[in-house]
Amino acid sequence: MTDLFDKHRHTAERHERMLSLGANAVGLTNDRILSPTRAIIDGRETVLAGTNNYMGITFEADCIAAGQEALALYGTGTTGSRIANGSYAMHRELERELAGFLNRRHCIMFTTGYQANLGMLAGLAGPKDTIYLDADSHSSIYDGCTLSGAKLVRFRHNDASDLDKRLTRSEDEGGGRLVVVEGIYSMLGDRAPLADFVAVKKKHGFQLLVDEAHSFGVLGKNGRGLADEAGLEDDVDFVVGTFSKSIGAIGGFGAGNHPLFNMLRYASRPYMFTASPSPATVATSLAAVRKLKAEPERREKLAVNSARLFNGFKALGLALGCDAVSPIVAVNCPDEVSTIAMWNALLKAGVYVNIALPPGTPGKQCLLRCSVSAAHSFEDIDRIITLFGEVVAQGHYKKAG
Amino acid sequence: MSAGEDTFTVLCQLLEPFNTAKIALKPGTDISADLNIDSVSVMDFVMEVEDHFNIDIPLNVLSETRSIADLVKVVDGRLVKG
Ligand SMILES: Cc1ncc(COP(=O)(O)O)c(C=O)c1O
Protein backbone atom coordinates (compact mmCIF):
# COMPACT_ATOMS: atom_id res chain seq x y z
CA MET A 1 0.00 0.00 0.00
CA THR A 2 1.27 3.46 -0.87
CA ASP A 3 0.93 5.85 2.03
CA LEU A 4 -0.87 8.94 0.74
CA PHE A 5 1.37 11.07 2.92
CA ASP A 6 4.56 9.89 1.18
CA LYS A 7 4.35 12.87 -1.16
CA HIS A 8 4.49 15.24 1.83
CA ARG A 9 7.67 13.83 3.37
CA HIS A 10 9.77 16.39 1.54
CA THR A 11 7.63 19.18 3.04
CA ALA A 12 7.98 17.64 6.48
CA GLU A 13 11.78 17.60 6.15
CA ARG A 14 11.83 21.22 5.02
CA HIS A 15 9.58 22.21 7.93
CA GLU A 16 11.85 20.40 10.38
CA ARG A 17 14.82 22.26 8.93
CA MET A 18 13.09 25.58 9.51
CA LEU A 19 12.23 24.66 13.10
CA SER A 20 15.83 23.62 13.71
CA LEU A 21 16.85 27.17 12.75
CA GLY A 22 14.78 28.34 15.71
CA ALA A 23 11.90 29.82 13.72
CA ASN A 24 8.39 28.74 12.95
CA ALA A 25 7.75 31.32 10.29
CA VAL A 26 4.73 29.51 8.91
CA GLY A 27 3.12 28.63 12.24
CA LEU A 28 3.28 31.89 14.13
CA THR A 29 0.59 32.55 16.74
CA ASN A 30 -0.60 36.00 17.74
CA ASP A 31 -1.42 35.58 21.42
CA ARG A 32 -3.34 38.85 21.50
CA ILE A 33 -4.14 41.50 18.91
CA LEU A 34 -3.97 44.98 20.40
CA SER A 35 -4.68 47.12 17.33
CA PRO A 36 -4.30 47.02 13.53
CA THR A 37 -0.55 47.44 14.01
CA ARG A 38 0.23 45.74 17.35
CA ALA A 39 0.09 42.21 18.71
CA ILE A 40 1.54 40.23 21.58
CA ILE A 41 3.71 37.48 20.10
CA ASP A 42 5.82 35.23 22.36
CA GLY A 43 4.97 37.57 25.22
CA ARG A 44 6.37 40.63 23.42
CA GLU A 45 4.54 43.63 22.04
CA THR A 46 5.26 43.50 18.32
CA VAL A 47 4.80 45.99 15.49
CA LEU A 48 2.84 44.25 12.74
CA ALA A 49 4.26 44.97 9.30
CA GLY A 50 2.85 42.02 7.40
CA THR A 51 -0.92 42.00 7.80
CA ASN A 52 -2.34 43.39 4.51
CA ASN A 53 -4.43 45.60 6.81
CA TYR A 54 -3.87 48.47 4.41
CA MET A 55 -6.53 50.79 5.74
CA GLY A 56 -5.89 49.86 9.38
CA ILE A 57 -9.60 49.30 9.68
CA THR A 58 -9.96 46.20 11.89
CA PHE A 59 -10.67 48.02 15.17
CA GLU A 60 -12.95 50.86 14.09
CA ALA A 61 -15.64 51.39 16.75
CA ASP A 62 -18.47 51.82 14.25
CA CYS A 63 -17.51 48.71 12.27
CA ILE A 64 -17.33 46.66 15.46
CA ALA A 65 -20.68 48.04 16.63
CA ALA A 66 -22.26 47.18 13.27
CA GLY A 67 -20.92 43.64 13.54
CA GLN A 68 -22.15 43.24 17.10
CA GLU A 69 -25.58 44.49 16.19
CA ALA A 70 -25.84 42.11 13.23
CA LEU A 71 -24.68 39.25 15.42
CA ALA A 72 -27.43 40.01 17.93
CA LEU A 73 -30.14 40.60 15.32
CA TYR A 74 -29.36 37.96 12.72
CA GLY A 75 -27.44 35.29 14.60
CA THR A 76 -24.05 33.68 14.28
CA GLY A 77 -24.31 32.20 10.79
CA THR A 78 -26.57 31.96 7.76
CA THR A 79 -26.48 28.13 7.63
CA GLY A 80 -27.00 28.11 3.90
CA SER A 81 -25.96 29.08 0.42
CA ARG A 82 -26.95 32.27 -1.38
CA ILE A 83 -29.24 30.34 -3.71
CA ALA A 84 -31.06 28.61 -0.83
CA ASN A 85 -31.64 30.16 2.58
CA GLY A 86 -28.41 32.17 2.86
CA SER A 87 -29.38 35.47 1.19
CA TYR A 88 -30.30 38.18 3.68
CA ALA A 89 -31.20 41.76 2.86
CA MET A 90 -27.73 42.76 4.10
CA HIS A 91 -25.98 40.59 1.49
CA ARG A 92 -27.88 42.44 -1.21
CA GLU A 93 -27.20 45.77 0.47
CA LEU A 94 -23.46 45.12 0.57
CA GLU A 95 -23.49 44.10 -3.10
CA ARG A 96 -25.32 47.31 -4.01
CA GLU A 97 -22.96 49.41 -1.91
CA LEU A 98 -19.93 47.81 -3.55
CA ALA A 99 -21.36 48.17 -7.05
CA GLY A 100 -21.81 51.87 -6.27
CA PHE A 101 -18.29 52.20 -4.87
CA LEU A 102 -16.85 50.45 -7.92
CA ASN A 103 -19.13 52.29 -10.36
CA ARG A 104 -20.18 48.96 -11.86
CA ARG A 105 -23.69 47.83 -12.70
CA HIS A 106 -23.41 44.47 -10.97
CA CYS A 107 -21.59 42.96 -8.03
CA ILE A 108 -21.68 39.49 -6.50
CA MET A 109 -20.12 38.67 -3.16
CA PHE A 110 -18.38 35.43 -2.28
CA THR A 111 -17.52 33.90 1.07
CA THR A 112 -13.76 34.48 0.69
CA GLY A 113 -11.49 36.25 -1.78
CA TYR A 114 -10.09 32.87 -2.78
CA GLN A 115 -13.59 31.75 -3.70
CA ALA A 116 -14.21 35.01 -5.56
CA ASN A 117 -11.46 34.05 -8.00
CA LEU A 118 -12.65 30.46 -8.19
CA GLY A 119 -16.23 31.59 -8.69
CA MET A 120 -15.56 34.31 -11.25
CA LEU A 121 -13.09 32.31 -13.35
CA ALA A 122 -15.05 29.07 -13.33
CA GLY A 123 -18.29 30.98 -13.88
CA LEU A 124 -16.93 32.98 -16.82
CA ALA A 125 -14.82 30.41 -18.65
CA GLY A 126 -15.62 26.84 -19.64
CA PRO A 127 -13.91 23.99 -21.50
CA LYS A 128 -14.32 25.63 -24.92
CA ASP A 129 -12.69 28.89 -23.77
CA THR A 130 -9.09 29.94 -23.18
CA ILE A 131 -7.78 31.77 -20.15
CA TYR A 132 -4.50 33.66 -20.50
CA LEU A 133 -3.02 34.16 -17.06
CA ASP A 134 0.03 36.04 -15.85
CA ALA A 135 2.79 33.65 -14.78
CA ASP A 136 2.97 35.20 -11.30
CA SER A 137 -0.76 34.94 -10.61
CA HIS A 138 -2.00 34.18 -7.11
CA SER A 139 -2.84 30.53 -6.37
CA SER A 140 -6.55 31.33 -6.25
CA ILE A 141 -6.31 32.37 -9.92
CA TYR A 142 -4.49 29.17 -10.87
CA ASP A 143 -7.07 27.13 -8.97
CA GLY A 144 -9.98 29.02 -10.51
CA CYS A 145 -8.50 28.41 -13.94
CA THR A 146 -8.21 24.69 -13.24
CA LEU A 147 -11.77 24.54 -11.94
CA SER A 148 -13.08 26.24 -15.09
CA GLY A 149 -11.81 23.46 -17.36
CA ALA A 150 -10.73 26.12 -19.86
CA LYS A 151 -7.57 25.85 -21.92
CA LEU A 152 -4.88 27.61 -19.87
CA VAL A 153 -2.11 29.64 -21.43
CA ARG A 154 0.44 31.24 -19.13
CA PHE A 155 2.22 34.41 -20.27
CA ARG A 156 5.37 36.01 -18.90
CA HIS A 157 4.82 38.22 -15.89
CA ASN A 158 3.67 41.76 -16.75
CA ASP A 159 4.73 41.22 -20.37
CA ALA A 160 2.03 42.47 -22.74
CA SER A 161 4.07 41.63 -25.84
CA ASP A 162 4.40 38.03 -24.65
CA LEU A 163 0.61 37.93 -24.25
CA ASP A 164 0.28 39.42 -27.74
CA LYS A 165 2.45 36.63 -29.15
CA ARG A 166 0.42 33.91 -27.46
CA LEU A 167 -2.89 35.40 -28.57
CA THR A 168 -1.59 35.54 -32.13
CA ARG A 169 -0.54 31.87 -31.99
CA SER A 170 -4.01 30.71 -30.96
CA GLU A 171 -6.03 33.25 -32.93
CA ASP A 172 -8.37 30.88 -34.72
CA GLU A 173 -9.27 28.38 -32.05
CA GLY A 174 -12.76 29.67 -31.32
CA GLY A 175 -14.28 30.00 -27.87
CA GLY A 176 -14.11 32.98 -25.55
CA ARG A 177 -10.81 34.44 -24.41
CA LEU A 178 -10.28 35.79 -20.92
CA VAL A 179 -7.09 37.55 -19.81
CA VAL A 180 -6.37 37.72 -16.08
CA VAL A 181 -3.97 40.13 -14.37
CA GLU A 182 -3.61 41.56 -10.86
CA GLY A 183 -3.70 45.21 -9.82
CA ILE A 184 -0.79 44.88 -7.38
CA TYR A 185 1.08 41.59 -7.21
CA SER A 186 1.06 40.28 -3.68
CA MET A 187 4.68 39.17 -3.40
CA LEU A 188 6.72 41.98 -4.98
CA GLY A 189 4.20 44.84 -4.90
CA ASP A 190 4.50 45.60 -8.62
CA ARG A 191 1.51 46.79 -10.63
CA ALA A 192 0.31 45.31 -13.93
CA PRO A 193 1.18 47.61 -16.88
CA LEU A 194 -2.52 47.97 -17.59
CA ALA A 195 -2.26 50.40 -20.52
CA ASP A 196 -0.04 47.89 -22.37
CA PHE A 197 -2.55 45.10 -21.80
CA VAL A 198 -5.42 47.33 -22.92
CA ALA A 199 -3.53 48.05 -26.16
CA VAL A 200 -3.22 44.29 -26.75
CA LYS A 201 -6.92 43.96 -25.95
CA LYS A 202 -7.77 46.52 -28.63
CA LYS A 203 -5.68 44.55 -31.14
CA HIS A 204 -6.99 41.06 -30.40
CA GLY A 205 -10.33 41.43 -28.65
CA PHE A 206 -10.79 39.49 -25.41
CA GLN A 207 -12.43 40.03 -22.06
CA LEU A 208 -10.21 41.34 -19.28
CA LEU A 209 -10.39 40.54 -15.58
CA VAL A 210 -8.32 42.40 -12.99
CA ASP A 211 -7.88 40.95 -9.51
CA GLU A 212 -7.66 44.10 -7.39
CA ALA A 213 -7.14 42.14 -4.13
CA HIS A 214 -4.25 44.34 -3.00
CA SER A 215 -5.25 47.52 -4.86
CA PHE A 216 -8.96 47.83 -4.05
CA GLY A 217 -9.34 50.67 -1.54
CA VAL A 218 -5.66 51.47 -2.05
CA LEU A 219 -5.10 52.85 -5.56
CA GLY A 220 -6.92 55.43 -7.63
CA LYS A 221 -8.68 58.70 -6.97
CA ASN A 222 -11.77 56.81 -5.82
CA GLY A 223 -9.93 53.88 -4.29
CA ARG A 224 -11.29 51.52 -6.88
CA GLY A 225 -7.91 50.03 -7.70
CA LEU A 226 -5.33 50.00 -10.47
CA ALA A 227 -7.87 50.54 -13.27
CA ASP A 228 -9.06 53.66 -11.44
CA GLU A 229 -5.49 54.90 -10.97
CA ALA A 230 -4.68 54.23 -14.64
CA GLY A 231 -7.93 55.75 -15.92
CA LEU A 232 -8.78 52.52 -17.74
CA GLU A 233 -11.90 51.29 -15.98
CA ASP A 234 -13.95 51.21 -19.19
CA ASP A 235 -11.48 48.73 -20.67
CA VAL A 236 -11.69 46.31 -17.74
CA ASP A 237 -14.63 43.92 -18.04
CA PHE A 238 -14.48 42.26 -14.64
CA VAL A 239 -13.07 43.24 -11.26
CA VAL A 240 -12.32 40.81 -8.45
CA GLY A 241 -11.53 41.84 -4.90
CA THR A 242 -11.40 40.67 -1.33
CA PHE A 243 -12.62 41.94 2.04
CA SER A 244 -9.61 40.44 3.81
CA LYS A 245 -7.27 43.35 3.17
CA SER A 246 -8.50 46.96 2.86
CA ILE A 247 -11.92 46.01 4.27
CA GLY A 248 -10.46 44.25 7.31
CA ALA A 249 -12.97 41.39 7.26
CA ILE A 250 -13.38 38.23 5.23
CA GLY A 251 -15.15 37.62 1.92
CA GLY A 252 -14.69 38.60 -1.70
CA PHE A 253 -16.50 40.00 -4.70
CA GLY A 254 -16.71 40.07 -8.47
CA ALA A 255 -18.15 43.01 -10.39
CA GLY A 256 -18.90 44.01 -13.96
CA ASN A 257 -21.33 45.68 -16.34
CA HIS A 258 -22.32 42.76 -18.53
CA PRO A 259 -26.13 42.51 -18.79
CA LEU A 260 -25.98 38.78 -17.98
CA PHE A 261 -23.57 39.21 -15.06
CA ASN A 262 -26.07 37.93 -12.50
CA MET A 263 -26.26 34.59 -14.32
CA LEU A 264 -22.98 33.81 -12.56
CA ARG A 265 -25.15 33.28 -9.48
CA TYR A 266 -26.62 30.21 -11.21
CA ALA A 267 -23.48 29.02 -12.95
CA SER A 268 -20.68 29.52 -10.47
CA ARG A 269 -20.18 26.53 -8.21
CA PRO A 270 -18.04 28.33 -5.60
CA TYR A 271 -20.97 30.75 -5.20
CA MET A 272 -23.73 28.16 -5.20
CA PHE A 273 -22.31 25.37 -3.09
CA THR A 274 -21.01 27.07 0.01
CA ALA A 275 -22.63 28.96 2.87
CA SER A 276 -22.93 32.73 2.52
CA PRO A 277 -20.83 35.05 4.70
CA SER A 278 -22.02 35.42 8.29
CA PRO A 279 -24.13 38.42 9.32
CA ALA A 280 -21.38 39.94 11.46
CA THR A 281 -18.90 39.73 8.58
CA VAL A 282 -21.33 41.30 6.12
CA ALA A 283 -22.15 44.11 8.54
CA THR A 284 -18.53 45.01 9.31
CA SER A 285 -17.70 44.85 5.59
CA LEU A 286 -20.57 47.17 4.75
CA ALA A 287 -19.47 49.66 7.40
CA ALA A 288 -15.88 49.44 6.13
CA VAL A 289 -16.83 50.06 2.48
CA ARG A 290 -18.72 53.18 3.59
CA LYS A 291 -15.72 54.25 5.62
CA LEU A 292 -13.36 53.88 2.66
CA LYS A 293 -15.66 56.15 0.68
CA ALA A 294 -16.05 58.70 3.47
CA GLU A 295 -12.38 58.83 4.51
CA PRO A 296 -10.10 59.15 1.48
CA GLU A 297 -7.43 60.48 3.85
CA ARG A 298 -6.72 56.84 4.82
CA ARG A 299 -5.56 56.23 1.28
CA GLU A 300 -3.37 59.32 1.37
CA LYS A 301 -1.83 58.31 4.71
CA LEU A 302 -1.14 54.84 3.33
CA ALA A 303 0.62 56.31 0.30
CA VAL A 304 2.79 58.55 2.50
CA ASN A 305 3.64 55.66 4.84
CA SER A 306 4.44 53.37 1.89
CA ALA A 307 6.83 55.93 0.39
CA ARG A 308 8.49 56.41 3.79
CA LEU A 309 9.21 52.71 4.18
CA PHE A 310 10.23 52.29 0.55
CA ASN A 311 12.68 55.22 0.70
CA GLY A 312 14.00 54.16 4.09
CA PHE A 313 14.80 50.69 2.78
CA LYS A 314 16.37 52.16 -0.36
CA ALA A 315 18.61 54.29 1.84
CA LEU A 316 19.74 51.12 3.65
CA GLY A 317 20.76 49.73 0.27
CA LEU A 318 18.29 46.85 0.37
CA ALA A 319 17.29 45.16 -2.89
CA LEU A 320 13.52 45.66 -3.21
CA GLY A 321 10.88 43.67 -5.08
CA CYS A 322 9.99 46.51 -7.45
CA ASP A 323 10.89 50.14 -8.19
CA ALA A 324 7.42 51.60 -7.72
CA VAL A 325 6.07 52.61 -4.33
CA SER A 326 3.19 50.42 -3.18
CA PRO A 327 2.02 49.26 0.24
CA ILE A 328 3.87 46.00 -0.37
CA VAL A 329 7.59 46.49 0.15
CA ALA A 330 9.47 43.23 -0.33
CA VAL A 331 13.15 42.83 0.53
CA ASN A 332 15.02 40.38 -1.65
CA CYS A 333 17.33 38.19 0.48
CA PRO A 334 20.21 35.95 -0.55
CA ASP A 335 19.04 32.50 0.52
CA GLU A 336 16.60 30.53 2.62
CA VAL A 337 18.77 30.14 5.69
CA SER A 338 19.69 33.82 6.00
CA THR A 339 16.10 34.86 5.28
CA ILE A 340 14.83 32.71 8.12
CA ALA A 341 17.57 34.08 10.38
CA MET A 342 16.67 37.66 9.53
CA TRP A 343 12.96 37.01 9.97
CA ASN A 344 13.69 35.56 13.39
CA ALA A 345 15.96 38.43 14.40
CA LEU A 346 13.33 40.96 13.34
CA LEU A 347 10.62 39.18 15.32
CA LYS A 348 12.79 39.02 18.44
CA ALA A 349 13.48 42.73 18.04
CA GLY A 350 9.73 43.38 17.88
CA VAL A 351 8.61 43.57 14.27
CA TYR A 352 6.60 40.98 12.37
CA VAL A 353 6.95 40.76 8.58
CA ASN A 354 5.95 37.99 6.16
CA ILE A 355 8.49 35.48 4.99
CA ALA A 356 8.06 34.16 1.45
CA LEU A 357 10.19 31.34 0.08
CA PRO A 358 10.31 29.42 -3.21
CA PRO A 359 8.41 27.91 -4.94
CA GLY A 360 5.70 30.37 -3.88
CA THR A 361 7.72 33.37 -5.02
CA PRO A 362 8.53 34.82 -8.44
CA GLY A 363 11.96 33.91 -9.77
CA LYS A 364 12.75 31.74 -6.72
CA GLN A 365 13.39 34.79 -4.60
CA CYS A 366 13.59 34.64 -0.81
CA LEU A 367 11.61 37.56 0.48
CA LEU A 368 10.95 39.45 3.67
CA ARG A 369 7.66 41.03 2.68
CA CYS A 370 6.36 44.06 4.52
CA SER A 371 2.88 45.46 4.08
CA VAL A 372 2.22 49.01 5.19
CA SER A 373 -0.93 50.22 6.93
CA ALA A 374 -2.57 53.64 7.09
CA ALA A 375 -2.66 52.98 10.83
CA HIS A 376 1.14 52.89 11.13
CA SER A 377 2.58 56.02 12.69
CA PHE A 378 5.77 57.54 11.31
CA GLU A 379 7.46 56.21 14.46
CA ASP A 380 6.30 52.70 13.55
CA ILE A 381 7.67 53.03 10.02
CA ASP A 382 10.95 54.45 11.28
CA ARG A 383 11.25 51.64 13.81
CA ILE A 384 10.77 49.05 11.07
CA ILE A 385 13.50 50.76 9.02
CA THR A 386 15.82 50.95 12.05
CA LEU A 387 15.33 47.28 12.89
CA PHE A 388 15.99 46.25 9.29
CA GLY A 389 19.11 48.39 9.52
CA GLU A 390 20.23 46.60 12.66
CA VAL A 391 19.62 43.18 11.15
CA VAL A 392 21.66 44.23 8.12
CA ALA A 393 24.40 45.49 10.43
CA GLN A 394 24.40 42.14 12.21
CA GLY A 395 25.56 40.69 8.92
CA HIS A 396 22.60 38.48 8.13
CA TYR A 397 22.08 40.29 4.88
CA LYS A 398 24.22 40.40 1.81
CA LYS A 399 22.76 42.34 -1.04
CA ALA A 400 21.12 39.76 -3.29
CA GLY A 401 21.57 39.63 -7.04
CA MET B 1 18.12 11.14 -36.81
CA SER B 2 14.33 11.01 -36.46
CA ALA B 3 12.26 14.05 -35.54
CA GLY B 4 11.66 12.44 -32.15
CA GLU B 5 15.38 12.30 -31.34
CA ASP B 6 15.89 15.86 -32.46
CA THR B 7 13.18 17.16 -30.17
CA PHE B 8 14.54 15.06 -27.32
CA THR B 9 17.99 16.62 -27.70
CA VAL B 10 16.58 20.14 -27.75
CA LEU B 11 14.39 19.47 -24.71
CA CYS B 12 17.43 18.17 -22.81
CA GLN B 13 19.33 21.35 -23.64
CA LEU B 14 16.42 23.51 -22.50
CA LEU B 15 16.06 21.43 -19.34
CA GLU B 16 19.73 21.75 -18.39
CA PRO B 17 19.41 25.07 -16.44
CA PHE B 18 16.60 23.53 -14.36
CA ASN B 19 18.47 20.26 -13.77
CA THR B 20 20.48 21.62 -10.86
CA ALA B 21 21.35 18.16 -9.53
CA LYS B 22 22.82 17.34 -13.00
CA ILE B 23 20.96 14.07 -13.29
CA ALA B 24 21.51 12.14 -16.55
CA LEU B 25 18.51 12.74 -18.79
CA LYS B 26 16.79 9.81 -20.50
CA PRO B 27 13.49 9.67 -22.42
CA GLY B 28 11.85 8.04 -19.40
CA THR B 29 13.09 10.65 -16.90
CA ASP B 30 10.16 12.11 -14.93
CA ILE B 31 10.66 15.87 -15.28
CA SER B 32 9.24 16.79 -11.91
CA ALA B 33 9.85 13.78 -9.65
CA ASP B 34 13.23 12.50 -10.91
CA LEU B 35 14.78 15.95 -11.28
CA ASN B 36 13.13 17.23 -8.09
CA ILE B 37 11.81 20.33 -9.88
CA ASP B 38 8.91 22.19 -8.27
CA SER B 39 5.67 22.83 -10.15
CA VAL B 40 6.45 26.49 -10.88
CA SER B 41 9.84 25.61 -12.39
CA VAL B 42 8.20 22.96 -14.57
CA MET B 43 5.86 25.66 -15.91
CA ASP B 44 8.83 27.99 -16.45
CA PHE B 45 10.70 25.26 -18.32
CA VAL B 46 7.67 24.61 -20.52
CA MET B 47 7.52 28.33 -21.32
CA GLU B 48 11.07 28.07 -22.66
CA VAL B 49 9.99 25.08 -24.75
CA GLU B 50 6.99 27.05 -26.09
CA ASP B 51 9.23 29.93 -27.10
CA HIS B 52 11.90 27.74 -28.66
CA PHE B 53 9.42 25.91 -30.91
CA ASN B 54 6.95 28.81 -31.20
CA ILE B 55 4.05 26.64 -30.06
CA ASP B 56 1.53 26.77 -27.21
CA ILE B 57 1.52 24.01 -24.63
CA PRO B 58 -1.54 24.73 -22.47
CA LEU B 59 -1.14 24.02 -18.75
CA ASN B 60 -3.94 21.45 -18.98
CA VAL B 61 -1.72 19.25 -21.15
CA LEU B 62 1.00 19.26 -18.49
CA SER B 63 -0.99 17.25 -15.97
CA GLU B 64 -0.64 14.21 -18.27
CA THR B 65 2.93 14.95 -19.31
CA ARG B 66 5.40 13.37 -16.92
CA SER B 67 8.46 12.14 -18.75
CA ILE B 68 10.67 13.84 -21.32
CA ALA B 69 9.34 11.33 -23.88
CA ASP B 70 5.79 12.46 -23.06
CA LEU B 71 6.82 16.04 -23.72
CA VAL B 72 8.54 15.07 -26.99
CA LYS B 73 5.18 13.66 -28.15
CA VAL B 74 3.36 16.85 -27.15
CA VAL B 75 5.89 19.08 -28.93
CA ASP B 76 6.03 16.98 -32.10
CA GLY B 77 2.21 16.78 -32.18
CA ARG B 78 1.92 20.53 -31.93
CA LEU B 79 4.66 21.16 -34.49
CA VAL B 80 2.77 19.05 -37.02
CA LYS B 81 -0.48 20.89 -36.24
CA GLY B 82 1.13 24.31 -36.51
C1 LIG C 1 -4.03 38.44 -5.52
C2 LIG C 1 -4.90 37.75 -4.53
N1 LIG C 1 -6.11 37.28 -4.92
C3 LIG C 1 -6.92 36.65 -4.04
C4 LIG C 1 -6.56 36.45 -2.73
C5 LIG C 1 -7.46 35.66 -1.84
O1 LIG C 1 -8.10 36.45 -0.91
P1 LIG C 1 -8.57 35.92 0.53
O2 LIG C 1 -7.34 35.68 1.34
O3 LIG C 1 -9.39 37.03 1.02
O4 LIG C 1 -9.35 34.67 0.35
C6 LIG C 1 -5.32 36.96 -2.28
C7 LIG C 1 -4.87 36.89 -0.89
O5 LIG C 1 -4.88 36.01 -0.15
C8 LIG C 1 -4.47 37.59 -3.20
O6 LIG C 1 -3.26 38.02 -2.83
Side-chain angles (χ1 to χ4, degrees):
Chain A
M1 188 189 90
T2 303
D3 182 355
L4 295 167
F5 274 97
D6 278 347
K7 57 177 139 339
H8 302 308
R9 290 197 196 284
H10 172 71
T11 307
E13 283 161 20
R14 198 164 168 209
H15 191 241
E16 277 304 312
R17 214 162 41 239
M18 177 182 284
L19 293 183
S20 73
L21 293 168
N24 190 3
V26 291
L28 177 104
T29 305
N30 297 287
D31 297 323
R32 279 172 61 206
I33 297 284
L34 307 176
S35 76
T37 59
R38 289 288 185 291
I40 303 289
I41 300 172
D42 287 339
R44 277 187 303 274
E45 185 169 327
T46 305
V47 176
L48 299 174
T51 60
N52 306 310
N53 194 349
Y54 299 123
M55 295 294 133
I57 212 167
T58 41
F59 280 82
E60 296 297 307
D62 45 352
C63 295
I64 290 175
Q68 285 169 333
E69 191 190 339
L71 193 55
L73 284 177
Y74 300 98
T76 50
T78 67
T79 68
S81 130
R82 288 296 302 278
I83 55 163
N85 57 304
S87 277
Y88 294 6
M90 58 167 67
H91 293 93
R92 297 274 184 203
E93 192 183 352
L94 176 53
E95 287 173 341
R96 272 196 305 276
E97 186 75 30
L98 270 167
F101 186 95
L102 293 162
N103 195 26
R104 299 272 170 183
R105 239 170 265 147
H106 308 287
C107 178
I108 297 179
M109 71 175 296
F110 295 87
T111 304
T112 68
Y114 176 84
Q115 283 163 290
N117 268 328
L118 259 58
M120 287 297 292
L121 295 168
L124 288 168
K128 293 199 171 70
D129 305 315
T130 306
I131 302 179
Y132 298 81
L133 72 160
D134 187 286
D136 288 356
S137 291
H138 189 260
S139 296
S140 56
I141 294 175
Y142 275 97
D143 292 354
C145 287
T146 304
L147 188 64
S148 75
K151 185 177 140 186
L152 306 179
V153 176
R154 185 174 178 254
F155 60 88
R156 289 186 193 279
H157 174 57
N158 273 353
D159 189 339
S161 63
D162 191 62
L163 172 65
D164 183 5
K165 186 172 77 186
R166 285 161 202 280
L167 284 160
T168 306
R169 265 185 213 148
S170 55
E171 200 69 82
D172 311 314
E173 291 189 358
R177 301 199 288 182
L178 178 66
V179 172
V180 184
V181 300
E182 295 177 27
I184 293 178
Y185 283 84
S186 58
M187 284 296 132
L188 301 182
D190 49 338
R191 293 161 168 79
L194 203 54
D196 297 350
F197 286 117
V198 166
V200 176
K201 181 181 176 183
K202 297 218 158 104
K203 178 172 169 197
H204 288 279
F206 52 73
Q207 284 166 302
L208 176 61
L209 182 149
V210 181
D211 178 356
E212 302 266 20
H214 293 270
S215 37
F216 169 71
V218 169
L219 296 183
K221 194 159 73 56
N222 310 288
R224 296 202 282 256
L226 178 67
D228 180 12
E229 181 184 71
L232 294 167
E233 287 176 285
D234 290 345
D235 297 295
V236 173
D237 300 277
F238 310 107
V239 186
V240 167
T242 172
F243 301 150
S244 68
K245 306 181 198 304
S246 58
I247 298 295
I250 186 169
F253 63 84
N257 293 329
H258 197 287
L260 293 178
F261 192 84
N262 279 311
M263 292 308 103
L264 294 174
R265 294 186 200 269
Y266 315 110
S268 173
R269 299 167 68 86
Y271 176 82
M272 297 159 73
F273 299 109
T274 193
S276 63
S278 75
T281 293
V282 177
T284 64
S285 301
L286 186 57
V289 173
R290 291 180 174 147
K291 197 175 268 296
L292 289 197
K293 193 152 61 176
E295 300 174 12
E297 59 273 18
R298 283 176 189 272
R299 216 153 40 242
E300 288 152 26
K301 180 74 181 1
L302 176 65
V304 171
N305 280 351
S306 302
R308 195 176 179 95
L309 188 68
F310 181 90
N311 292 326
F313 279 178
K314 279 259 161 201
L316 289 176
L318 303 179
L320 302 185
C322 76
D323 335 310
V325 174
S326 91
I328 297 168
V329 187
V331 177
N332 190 354
C333 306
D335 56 55
E336 188 161 324
V337 170
S338 70
T339 309
I340 294 170
M342 281 175 63
W343 180 85
N344 221 359
L346 287 166
L347 189 66
K348 291 223 164 79
V351 58
Y352 168 78
V353 303
N354 303 126
I355 190 167
L357 300 170
T361 54
K364 299 225 172 312
Q365 296 176 67
C366 295
L367 302 171
L368 292 172
R369 173 193 181 273
C370 302
S371 61
V372 181
S373 174
H376 281 130
S377 64
F378 282 170
E379 293 76 51
D380 291 339
I381 302 285
D382 293 346
R383 184 163 158 72
I384 297 164
I385 298 166
T386 304
L387 290 176
F388 265 80
E390 283 170 13
V391 169
V392 174
Q394 282 166 13
H396 289 299
Y397 183 85
K398 295 188 299 290
K399 193 164 172 166
Chain B
M1 211 191 282
S2 78
E5 277 171 22
D6 250 340
T7 307
F8 175 75
T9 312
V10 174
L11 289 184
C12 290
Q13 282 161 5
L14 293 172
L15 199 46
E16 225 30 75
F18 297 87
N19 180 14
T20 44
K22 298 291 163 218
I23 288 162
L25 301 176
K26 301 194 200 71
T29 304
D30 185 307
I31 298 168
S32 169
D34 291 344
L35 305 185
N36 195 15
I37 300 181
D38 63 72
S39 56
V40 180
S41 299
V42 172
M43 290 192 291
D44 289 344
F45 158 60
V46 170
M47 220 170 213
E48 298 297 334
V49 176
E50 288 177 306
D51 281 353
H52 181 89
F53 292 100
N54 194 29
I55 53 171
D56 268 328
I57 303 175
L59 297 186
N60 326 53
V61 174
L62 288 188
S63 52
E64 287 146 43
T65 310
R66 301 224 53 91
S67 67
I68 303 178
D70 291 342
L71 190 58
V72 168
K73 263 190 237 138
V74 170
V75 170
D76 287 346
R78 293 195 170 250
L79 281 173
V80 171
K81 255 202 286 179

